[in-house]
């Protein structure tokens, strides 16, 4: 886009928003169950729970506490959220939700006896009909507490003597109860000849975690403990060196026309950044987390070069390099492998140190195995907590795999279960980035614009789409070598270049893209910049006659598409973006106006106009609620003026990014016959239990109107026809939330 075509996006003021009162409703229906038969099943479950409690009580960490732990199961169609009040009124505390129908609950012995009596009343007298909404009470078994990856490891590594595990306690235990249980479990670990790897630590919600090296034979015994919610193998974040590096050199000189001081800033959480002296001004701060002194690796420098220059390989024939961002060097690796618990502490330390200087943090680190998806990973959750607390964004690599070494085709790779994203790429509030191939190579199994041979894909936690975006990267051959092209080239420490591949080097491309956009939106609002980036992402597939299943499959390959900040950064004569930030509560809906000009309504031909809607929600989070992790989402729908001027709904029938309970609602639709004037985006907030009716949930909205014929200056027409209703964002000052 030429400088003459670069136009400021338009701001949607509050005056263009109509608020409509909403009245949430819930209808309760009688399920018509045989109360005697159903009640007998419930009573049997309670008796089995008490039998197991008495059997295990003597050696349990909760043995001296008046607490019984068990599992609650609801029937299809019911949710823990919907039955929360009944569950709690019946004396059960909801400690953790596995999914919408399964919860781990606790009760005192006296309340458990009361529960048994009330179930008996339901069974014998058909009273207390709320129990028809309970399918069963079950023992929370040791097997259920073990992560699937842990069980596979125990089965496959039978000759191993010990294993490094993390044991997460039941969430929402009383602090004193948890503290005493921690001490008792430490003693139990010593009794089985295990060894604590560090002092017990707590997640951000206060849940205790013990990391220990224990005999393989003791895992089931430890999992039987009533205080334990989940056991998983300790994750280690690794910096991997590719099988081949091709160093080469070039001169460095920054374009003198670039005002380096005004460039946006991204924090790079990695192994350290060592730019050559000619580029050192692009790294104004070098910082090391506690315990990271001494270790050096090329990875951090290469990652930083992608933030600063995007694809530096496209600039090497130029006289000067043109940077687009600066980086804060946050060194979080003190060795090649860093345990998950240590990594959490170092990332927290970095965010606390630099959240006042930048809102964008790049993390190109993953564990080497895919997520399981039934539980949000510990690191994914901790990143979400930091994003929610400090209003920052992590841009995260999707992770890499080595399937190309034994798979002959990309199709074979994509069908393998090992290709799923790796922790912490499942963080729901972050931006997860995958890789697609940017240049043609005859020996590559991936063609241009196809998923790179090493890049992990979705789905993410609880089946949500991941990655969020993709960016161009290198390809990789079956011998793991990396052919040279403009997308493979990364900067080496202290000067020179390498060829390398991995999602480690596409995540920072998107981090730099986000930084570019944050520099042009009011108040450098990073969530609005995220919405703008998603809104301009380029689809790499043909949406004509696409089925919903195909759309969902594509969504887990490419997310919302290829990051394209050059499209998102400015409006143009043919493409106009309307921006807004605001809040919604559960009792109010909003109808947000934007304008489609007369010249478009008069255009001849089919599919002349495309409207793209992106709404990013900043929802509350709660790890203990399982698949109900996100507390809110906003549903968006576009309403056009039809040929008769009537306001009608106009969402597409098929889309891969219109999902309930996700952080982003994103879709496009094309139009041929319509009336000009004020079209609307209708926004409606949906919340889960624990969110009050008057809680205000922030959102960022981007609406783009595009002339697909590329003939009309719709920007000028919108400005003329709306007479100042929508102001260029350079003139806007928005109250910071």
């Amino acid at each position: 886009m030429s400088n003459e075509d670069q136009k400021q996006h338009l701001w949607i003021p509050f005056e263009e928003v109509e608020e409509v009162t909403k009245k949430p409703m819930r209808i309760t229906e009688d399920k018509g169950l045989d109360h005697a038969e159903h009640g007998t099943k419930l009573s049997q479950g309670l008796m089995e729970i008490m039998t197991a409690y008495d059997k295990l009580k003597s050696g349990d960490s909760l043995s001296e506490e008046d607490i019984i732990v068990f599992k609650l199961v609801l029937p299809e169609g019911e949710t823990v959220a919907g039955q929360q009040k009944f569950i709690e009124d019946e004396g059960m505390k909801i400690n953790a939700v596995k999914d919408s129908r399964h919860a781990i609950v606790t009760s005192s012995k006296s309340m458990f006896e009361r529960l048994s009596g009330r179930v008996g009343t339901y069974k014998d007298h058909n009273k207390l009909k709320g129990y028809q909404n309970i399918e069963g009470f079950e023992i929370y078994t040791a097997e259920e507490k073990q992560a699937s990856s842990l069980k596979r490891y125990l089965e496959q590594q039978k000759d191993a003597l010990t294993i490094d595990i993390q044991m997460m306690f039941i969430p929402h235990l009383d602090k004193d109860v948890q503290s005493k249980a921690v001490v008792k479990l430490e003693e139990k670990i010593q009794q089985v000849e295990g060894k604590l790897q560090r002092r017990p630590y707590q997640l951000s919600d206060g849940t205790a975690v013990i990391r220990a090296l224990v005999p393989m034979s003791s895992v089931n015994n430890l999992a039987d403990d009533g205080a334990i919610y989940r056991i998983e193998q300790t994750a280690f974040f690794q910096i991997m060196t590719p099988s081949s590096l091709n160093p080469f050199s070039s001169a460095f000189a920054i374009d003198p026309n670039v005002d380096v001081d005004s460039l946006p800033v991204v924090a790079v959480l990695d192994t350290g950044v060592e730019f050559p002296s000619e580029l050192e001004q692009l790294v104004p701060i070098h910082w090391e987390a506690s315990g990271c002194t001494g270790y050096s690796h090329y990875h951090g420098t290469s990652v930083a070069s992608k933030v600063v220059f995007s694809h530096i390989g496209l600039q090497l024939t130029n006289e000067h390099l043109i940077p687009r961002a600066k980086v804060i060097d946050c060194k979080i690796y003190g060795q090649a492998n860093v345990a998950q618990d240590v990594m959490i502490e170092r990332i927290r330390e970095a965010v606390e140190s630099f959240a006042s200087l930048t809102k964008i943090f790049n993390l190109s680190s993953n564990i080497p195995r895919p997520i399981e998806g039934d539980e949000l990973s510990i690191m994914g959750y901790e990143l979400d907590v930091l994003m929610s607390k400090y209003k920052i964004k992590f841009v995260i690599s999707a992770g890499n795999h080595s399937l190309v070494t034994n798979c002959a085709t990309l199709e074979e790779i994509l069908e393998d279960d090992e290709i799923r994203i790796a922790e912490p790429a499942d963080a729901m509030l972050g931006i997860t980035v995958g890789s697609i191939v940017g240049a043609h190579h005859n020996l590559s199994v991936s063609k241009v614009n196809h998923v790179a041979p090493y890049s992990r894909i979705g789905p993410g936690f609880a089946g949500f789409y991941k990655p969020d975006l993709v960016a161009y990267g290198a390809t990789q051959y079956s011998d793991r070598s990396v052919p040279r092209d403009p997308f493979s080239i990364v900067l080496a420490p202290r000067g020179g270049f390498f060829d390398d591949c991995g999602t480690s080097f596409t995540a920072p491309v998107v981090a730099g893209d986000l930084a570019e956009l944050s520099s042009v939106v009011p108040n450098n609002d990073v969530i609005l910049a995220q919405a703008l980036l998603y809104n301009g992402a380029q689809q790499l597939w043909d949406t004509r006659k696409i089925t919903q299943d195909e759309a969902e499959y594509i969504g887990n390959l490419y997310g919302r598409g290829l990051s394209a900040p050059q499209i998102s950064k400015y409006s143009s004569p043919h493409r106009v973006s309307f921006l807004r930030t605001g809040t919604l509560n559960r009792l109010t809906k909003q109808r947000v106006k934007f304008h489609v000009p007369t010249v478009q309504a008069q255009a001849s031909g089919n599919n002349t106009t495309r409207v793209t809607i992106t709404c990013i929600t900043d929802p509350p989070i709660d790890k203990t609620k399982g698949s109900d992790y996100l507390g809110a989402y906003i549903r968006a729908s576009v309403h056009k003026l039809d040929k008769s001027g009537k306001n009608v709904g106009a969402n597409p029938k098929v889309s891969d990014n219109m999902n309930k309970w996700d952080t982003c609602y994103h879709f496009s639709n094309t139009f041929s016959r319509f009336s000009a004037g004020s079209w609307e985006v209708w926004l409606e907030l949906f919340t889960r239990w624990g969110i009050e009716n008057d809680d205000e949930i922030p959102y960022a909205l981007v609406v783009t109107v595009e002339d697909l014929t590329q003939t009309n200056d719709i920007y000028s027409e919108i400005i003329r026809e709306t007479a100042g209703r929508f102001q260029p964002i350079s003139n806007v000052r928005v109250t910071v939330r």
Side-chain angles (χ1 to χ4, degrees), residues 459-481:
F461 162 67
F464 288 107
Y465 291 141
K466 289 289 179 177
D468 297 289
L469 293 169
V470 293
Y472 282 130
T475 191
Q476 187 179 43
Y477 292 156
S478 59
D479 63 358
R480 303 192 69 177
S481 63

Coordinates of all heavy atoms in Angstrom, one line a residue, residues 459-481:
P459 N -6.4 -29.5 17.7 CA -7.1 -28.5 18.5 C -6.3 -28.2 19.8 O -5.4 -29.0 20.2 CB -8.4 -29.1 18.8 CG -8.2 -30.6 18.8 CD -7.1 -30.8 17.7
G460 N -6.7 -27.1 20.5 CA -6.1 -26.8 21.7 C -6.9 -27.3 22.9 O -7.6 -28.4 22.8
F461 N -6.9 -26.7 24.0 CA -7.6 -27.1 25.2 C -9.1 -27.2 24.9 O -9.7 -26.3 24.3 CB -7.3 -26.1 26.3 CG -8.3 -26.1 27.5 CD1 -8.3 -27.2 28.3 CD2 -9.2 -25.1 27.7 CE1 -9.2 -27.3 29.3 CE2 -10.1 -25.1 28.8 CZ -10.1 -26.2 29.6
A462 N -9.7 -28.3 25.4 CA -11.1 -28.5 25.3 C -11.7 -28.4 23.9 O -12.8 -28.1 23.7 CB -11.9 -27.6 26.2
G463 N -10.8 -28.6 22.9 CA -11.2 -28.6 21.5 C -11.3 -27.2 20.8 O -11.7 -27.1 19.7
F464 N -10.8 -26.2 21.5 CA -10.8 -24.9 20.9 C -9.7 -24.8 19.9 O -8.7 -25.5 19.9 CB -10.5 -23.8 22.0 CG -11.7 -23.6 22.9 CD1 -11.7 -24.0 24.2 CD2 -12.8 -22.9 22.5 CE1 -12.8 -23.8 25.1 CE2 -13.9 -22.7 23.3 CZ -13.9 -23.2 24.6
Y465 N -9.9 -23.9 18.9 CA -9.0 -23.8 17.8 C -7.7 -23.2 18.2 O -7.6 -22.2 19.0 CB -9.6 -22.8 16.7 CG -10.8 -23.4 16.0 CD1 -11.8 -22.6 15.6 CD2 -10.8 -24.7 15.6 CE1 -12.9 -23.1 14.9 CE2 -11.9 -25.3 15.0 CZ -12.9 -24.5 14.6 OH -14.0 -25.0 14.0
K466 N -6.6 -23.8 17.8 CA -5.3 -23.4 17.9 C -4.5 -23.9 16.7 O -4.9 -25.1 16.2 CB -4.6 -23.9 19.2 CG -5.1 -23.2 20.4 CD -4.6 -21.8 20.5 CE -5.1 -21.1 21.8 NZ -4.6 -19.7 22.0
P467 N -3.6 -23.3 16.1 CA -3.1 -22.0 16.5 C -4.1 -20.8 16.2 O -5.1 -21.1 15.5 CB -1.8 -21.8 15.6 CG -2.1 -22.6 14.4 CD -2.9 -23.8 14.8
D468 N -3.8 -19.6 16.7 CA -4.6 -18.5 16.4 C -4.3 -17.9 15.0 O -5.2 -17.4 14.3 CB -4.4 -17.4 17.5 CG -4.9 -18.0 18.8 OD1 -6.1 -18.1 19.0 OD2 -4.0 -18.2 19.7
L469 N -3.0 -17.9 14.7 CA -2.5 -17.4 13.4 C -1.3 -18.2 12.9 O -0.8 -19.0 13.7 CB -2.0 -15.9 13.6 CG -3.0 -14.8 13.9 CD1 -2.3 -13.5 14.3 CD2 -4.0 -14.6 12.8
V470 N -1.0 -18.0 11.7 CA 0.2 -18.6 11.2 C 1.1 -17.5 10.5 O 0.6 -16.5 10.2 CB -0.1 -19.8 10.1 CG1 -0.7 -20.9 10.8 CG2 -0.9 -19.2 9.0
A471 N 2.3 -17.8 10.4 CA 3.3 -16.9 9.7 C 4.2 -17.7 8.8 O 4.4 -18.9 9.0 CB 4.1 -16.1 10.7
Y472 N 4.8 -17.1 7.8 CA 5.7 -17.8 6.9 C 7.0 -18.2 7.7 O 7.5 -17.4 8.5 CB 6.1 -16.9 5.7 CG 5.0 -16.9 4.7 CD1 4.6 -15.6 4.2 CD2 4.4 -18.0 4.2 CE1 3.6 -15.6 3.2 CE2 3.5 -18.0 3.2 CZ 3.0 -16.7 2.7 OH 2.1 -16.7 1.7
G473 N 7.5 -19.4 7.4 CA 8.7 -19.9 7.9 C 9.4 -20.8 6.9 O 8.9 -20.9 5.8
A474 N 10.5 -21.3 7.4 CA 11.3 -22.2 6.5 C 10.6 -23.6 6.4 O 9.7 -23.9 7.2 CB 12.7 -22.4 7.1
T475 N 11.1 -24.4 5.5 CA 10.7 -25.8 5.5 C 11.8 -26.7 6.1 O 12.8 -26.2 6.5 CB 10.3 -26.3 4.1 OG1 9.6 -27.6 4.2 CG2 11.5 -26.4 3.2
Q476 N 11.6 -28.0 6.1 CA 12.5 -28.9 6.7 C 12.4 -30.2 5.9 O 11.4 -30.7 5.6 CB 12.3 -29.1 8.2 CG 13.4 -29.9 8.9 CD 13.0 -30.1 10.4 OE1 11.9 -30.4 10.7 NE2 14.0 -29.9 11.2
Y477 N 13.6 -30.8 5.6 CA 13.7 -32.1 4.8 C 13.6 -33.2 5.8 O 13.7 -33.1 7.0 CB 14.9 -32.1 4.0 CG 15.0 -31.2 2.8 CD1 16.2 -30.8 2.3 CD2 13.8 -30.6 2.3 CE1 16.2 -29.9 1.2 CE2 13.8 -29.8 1.2 CZ 15.1 -29.4 0.7 OH 15.1 -28.5 -0.4
S478 N 13.5 -34.4 5.3 CA 13.4 -35.6 6.1 C 14.6 -35.9 6.9 O 14.6 -36.6 7.9 CB 13.0 -36.8 5.2 OG 14.0 -37.0 4.3
D479 N 15.8 -35.4 6.5 CA 17.0 -35.5 7.2 C 17.2 -34.4 8.2 O 18.3 -34.3 8.9 CB 18.2 -35.6 6.3 CG 18.5 -34.3 5.5 OD1 17.6 -33.4 5.6 OD2 19.4 -34.3 4.8
R480 N 16.1 -33.6 8.4 CA 16.1 -32.4 9.3 C 16.9 -31.2 8.9 O 17.1 -30.3 9.7 CB 16.4 -32.9 10.8 CG 15.5 -34.0 11.3 CD 15.7 -34.2 12.8 NE 15.2 -33.1 13.5 CZ 15.1 -33.0 14.9 NH1 15.6 -34.0 15.6 NH2 14.6 -32.0 15.5
S481 N 17.5 -31.3 7.7 CA 18.2 -30.1 7.2 C 17.2 -29.0 6.8 O 16.0 -29.3 6.5 CB 19.1 -30.5 6.1 OG 18.4 -31.0 5.0

